[in-house]
Amino acid sequence: MKEIPNLGGTLEDWLEGQIRRYGDWFRERPVLVDVGAYHGEFSNRFVTGEKSPFRSAILFEPNPENFAELQRKLASDERFCLERLACGDQAGQGKLVCKGIGYTGSLLARRQEMPGIRNEYEVTIVTLDDYFAQKKPPGGVGLLKLDTQGNDLRALRGAVCLLARSRPWIVVEMLATPRFDGQAKPAEITEFLEGENYFLGAAMNEFYTDTGWLAWFDACFVPRELFSMDMNSNLQRPGAGQTPGKKAKWFFKGR
């Protein structure tokens, strides 16, 4: 019996089911890459999960405070390689600006100031293509997750060889509201990945502003060669207070 995709939870919940469904494909690509790893929750979930196809993960986290937490939690586990590096489209040095919550650090300048202590760190920037050309970890990359506070498109542009060679699934944060100078727009990321022969497979974890506008969401892009669709069997993602499989109501009707 065909497994029904988990549409009622987070993108991570959906992704777990899809990874099981395409288990043989991921077992041929057993490396997970986490750019903007924060405290490692994403990588830890997918590498240590029961029957996970991932044998190892490489975590990039340039914030020294977050990196110290990564070391505390994961350094003793040989499945995790921790790198205090930022990723972009050109190698070099940069400034990571952090103000407020620790996961909001970015190489881009903020458009509006946030409350809290401001910290700036000089960081080393690498491209993923250069990194993998030197390191050559065993096995292909099956999953690439990026959360770099607006700098995700630059990190992807620095990984075109990786995308062409390993064809990883890509989880990326999409900023729908202007937060950083020069941040990537969702349409720009989508257009770039379509050019690399990917399609948008899921969009979840949506957050909205207190004025009701879409603020950000997480998207998963999948290699085009894996695309399949049954035109006679489409499922609706449950909304707030809606049970899975329930038919949606149309509130705006023609007059």
Side-chain angles (χ1 to χ4, degrees):
M1 184 175 180
K2 184 171 67 173
E3 181 179 1
I4 298 175
N6 185 350
L7 302 178
T10 64
L11 184 138
E12 290 83 355
D13 297 332
W14 170 87
L15 186 59
E16 280 187 339
Q18 296 297 80
I19 289 173
R20 286 195 300 270
R21 182 179 181 186
Y22 292 93
D24 291 341
W25 191 92
F26 282 101
R27 277 186 282 273
E28 294 177 357
R29 302 162 176 84
V31 180
L32 185 155
V33 176
D34 190 344
V35 179
Y38 188 47
H39 293 166
E41 290 87 352
F42 184 92
S43 291
N44 189 58
R45 173 173 180 169
F46 285 97
V47 171
T48 64
E50 185 179 0
K51 298 181 180 178
S52 171
F54 298 109
R55 295 199 300 267
S56 64
I58 304 170
L59 286 70
F60 295 86
E61 176 51 60
N63 183 319
E65 296 178 5
N66 293 340
F67 189 77
E69 181 66 12
L70 278 179
Q71 289 181 308
R72 186 187 70 80
K73 293 169 62 175
L74 301 177
S76 62
D77 191 328
E78 63 182 13
R79 292 173 293 183
F80 297 96
C81 174
L82 310 180
E83 300 284 8
R84 192 187 153 188
L85 299 168
C87 295
D89 56 358
Q90 293 184 353
Q93 299 296 123
K95 182 180 292 185
L96 185 76
V97 179
C98 306
K99 189 167 186 181
I101 304 171
Y103 56 74
T104 60
S106 179
L107 295 173
L108 307 178
R110 273 198 168 273
R111 290 199 171 189
Q112 293 181 331
E113 282 296 320
M114 291 182 65
I117 300 173
R118 178 188 176 97
N119 293 311
E120 297 184 3
Y121 306 103
E122 294 294 328
V123 297
T124 299
I125 303 171
V126 298
T127 72
L128 288 172
D129 283 342
D130 287 347
Y131 178 89
F132 282 101
Q134 296 176 13
K135 297 288 185 176
K136 295 183 175 61
V141 175
L143 181 60
L144 169 61
K145 171 254 182 184
L146 303 106
D147 184 354
T148 65
Q149 301 296 297
N151 203 51
D152 308 277
L153 182 55
R154 293 178 178 84
L156 286 168
R157 285 174 173 159
V160 290
C161 293
L162 172 64
L163 301 187
R165 181 176 61 253
S166 285
R167 307 298 288 155
W169 291 33
I170 301 167
V171 173
V172 58
E173 182 184 60
M174 306 281 254
L175 298 181
T177 51
R179 296 170 182 269
F180 302 94
D181 291 337
Q183 74 183 43
K185 298 177 182 177
E188 293 174 321
I189 294 175
T190 302
E191 182 180 16
F192 172 80
L193 288 174
E194 285 180 345
E196 298 299 320
N197 209 24
Y198 279 80
F199 72 95
L200 177 59
M204 300 179 186
N205 298 350
E206 307 93 334
F207 282 79
Y208 284 77
T209 69
D210 57 9
T211 51
W213 308 125
L214 180 63
W216 72 83
F217 60 97
D218 292 328
C220 182
F221 291 86
V222 181
R224 176 67 63 179
E225 57 268 26
L226 296 180
F227 180 78
S228 63
M229 181 174 180
D230 183 350
M231 293 295 291
N232 298 315
S233 180
N234 294 311
L235 304 174
Q236 183 181 22
R237 173 166 156 79
Q242 181 183 336
T243 57
K246 186 176 179 180
K247 188 175 181 180
K249 295 181 180 179
W250 291 95
F251 292 100
F252 297 99
K253 299 180 180 179
R255 292 187 175 92

